[in-house]
Amino acid sequence: MKLLSIEYIPGKKIEALGLVRGTTVQCRNIGKDFMSGMKTLVGGEVTAYTEMLVEARQIATKRMVDEAETLGADAVIDVKFGSSAIMSGAAEVIAYGTAVKIIGECDVVG
């Protein structure tokens, strides 16, 4: 499945099939939380949270792709990610875009 952050597929005619999305909610690990809190004393990247968000984006992307495949899509264009805190210690990550079917070639890009 081709995933693009642009609104077209260069050199291709496409048919929009609809909005697709994938979401997940991830919670902090209490043990990693303690160590991350210690990191605030010395500064630097909080790798436990970075890893949590990377995993959450991967899960959300997979769910978005699964939804696109059920529509018969060849690609998802205009892919975006969002996140929000939904409660103390938990964050939602969403991946969304437009599922499209490639219907031919075109001379003009866009």
Side-chain angles (χ1 to χ4, degrees):
M1 176 79 52
K2 186 178 285 270
L3 303 176
L4 298 164
S5 61
I6 56 179
E7 297 176 353
Y8 60 92
I9 301 174
K12 303 291 184 188
K13 292 180 186 176
I14 57 174
E15 172 189 355
L17 302 175
L19 175 70
V20 288
R21 64 201 157 284
T23 188
T24 186
V25 174
Q26 296 284 319
C27 293
R28 300 183 301 202
N29 176 304
I30 216 70
K32 289 184 179 181
D33 227 20
F34 174 75
M35 295 307 293
S36 297
M38 300 300 289
K39 190 69 164 178
T40 62
L41 298 174
V42 295
E45 180 180 9
V46 183
T47 55
Y49 291 140
T50 301
E51 291 167 2
M52 180 186 78
L53 289 172
V54 166
E55 180 183 4
R57 280 191 295 274
Q58 290 171 340
I59 292 167
T61 300
K62 169 84 169 77
R63 290 177 178 169
M64 177 188 67
V65 167
D66 289 347
E67 189 174 324
E69 287 175 343
T70 65
L71 296 176
D74 298 311
V76 180
I77 60 171
D78 201 21
V79 173
K80 294 186 175 34
F81 294 92
S83 65
S84 61
I86 61 166
M87 60 184 245
S88 180
E92 174 195 35
V93 173
I94 184 169
Y96 60 98
T98 302
V100 298
K101 186 87 173 155
I102 297 172
I103 57 174
E105 304 288 323
C106 66
D107 295 331
V108 180
V109 176

